[in-house]
Amino acid sequence: MARKFQVTFDCADSDRLARFWAEALHYRLEEPPDGFATWAAYWADRGLQEEIPDGYDSVVDPGGVGPGIWFQRVPEGKAVKNRLHLDIQVTEGRAVPVEVRRRQVDAEAERLVGLGATLVRAVPSGGLPDYYAVTMLDPEGNEFCLS
């Protein structure tokens, strides 16, 4: 049986990245456990008040299918290229003409730039005439792709 997992991002501002990725993936901010008005109240109850800022630090798939994502605050900044990144499919794939997919990808890239992402470059087709993708950076410089 396949195992459930979550993806974890090291970051400086967990609330900002949680909000960005919730929008990017059409996820939702994970609500604090029952009995707690905020995540800060939950973590304070666990004795971690000093280490945990107020705000959100995780997002979940509203349909319960995709993995959860947790944003872990760390003191050091990002120093090198990610060894792992998310590839987000925003089109219906090769069943749709590449010109249509290009417009869809570019529109989503523009939306995400408005949310704080940075457009890096269009990914070359690598000789595939029906391929189009863009490479982007989230607000803290983590690479991801749209196709």
Side-chain angles (χ1 to χ4, degrees), residues 39 78 85 96 113 132:
W39 278 104
K78 183 175 180 292
H85 69 266
V96 176
V113 165
Y132 182 71

Side-chain angles (χ1 to χ4, degrees), residues 40-91:
Y42 170 80
W43 290 117
D45 186 65
R46 302 294 183 273
L48 298 172
Q49 186 170 14
E50 297 299 318
E51 295 88 354
I52 305 297
D54 197 12
Y56 290 89
D57 65 359
S58 58
V59 298
V60 293
D61 176 356
V65 177
I69 303 176
W70 183 48
F71 302 91
Q72 174 177 273
R73 283 188 37 192
V74 296
E76 67 276 358
K78 183 175 180 292
V80 298
K81 183 181 182 310
N82 298 10
R83 296 289 303 238
L84 172 77
H85 69 266
L86 302 183
D87 285 337
I88 305 168
Q89 186 173 347
V90 299
T91 72

Side-chain angles (χ1 to χ4, degrees), residues 58-146:
S58 58
V59 298
V60 293
D61 176 356
V65 177
I69 303 176
W70 183 48
F71 302 91
Q72 174 177 273
R73 283 188 37 192
V74 296
E76 67 276 358
K78 183 175 180 292
V80 298
K81 183 181 182 310
N82 298 10
R83 296 289 303 238
L84 172 77
H85 69 266
L86 302 183
D87 285 337
I88 305 168
Q89 186 173 347
V90 299
T91 72
E92 294 77 36
R94 290 195 170 99
V96 176
V98 69
E99 299 81 22
V100 173
R101 294 194 320 267
R102 180 184 301 262
R103 287 193 300 273
Q104 292 171 331
V105 168
D106 289 346
E108 182 65 0
E110 186 175 324
R111 182 181 82 88
L112 295 179
V113 165
L115 295 172
T118 301
L119 178 63
V120 176
R121 68 182 171 280
V123 177
S125 67
L128 299 173
D130 65 343
Y131 180 78
Y132 182 71
V134 296
T135 299
M136 302 190 75
L137 303 175
D138 76 8
E140 289 201 10
N142 300 298
E143 297 89 0
F144 66 99
C145 294
L146 301 177

Side-chain angles (χ1 to χ4, degrees), residues 1-77:
M1 178 163 68
R3 296 187 187 262
K4 291 183 118 184
F5 67 95
Q6 76 177 6
V7 176
T8 302
F9 282 76
D10 287 354
C11 62
D13 186 340
S14 56
D15 187 66
R16 180 178 184 203
L17 274 193
R19 291 177 186 282
F20 172 81
W21 282 105
E23 287 290 327
L25 297 173
H26 300 279
Y27 269 37
R28 66 173 175 78
L29 297 168
E30 185 174 18
E31 295 298 324
D34 287 342
F36 296 93
T38 66
W39 278 104
Y42 170 80
W43 290 117
D45 186 65
R46 302 294 183 273
L48 298 172
Q49 186 170 14
E50 297 299 318
E51 295 88 354
I52 305 297
D54 197 12
Y56 290 89
D57 65 359
S58 58
V59 298
V60 293
D61 176 356
V65 177
I69 303 176
W70 183 48
F71 302 91
Q72 174 177 273
R73 283 188 37 192
V74 296
E76 67 276 358

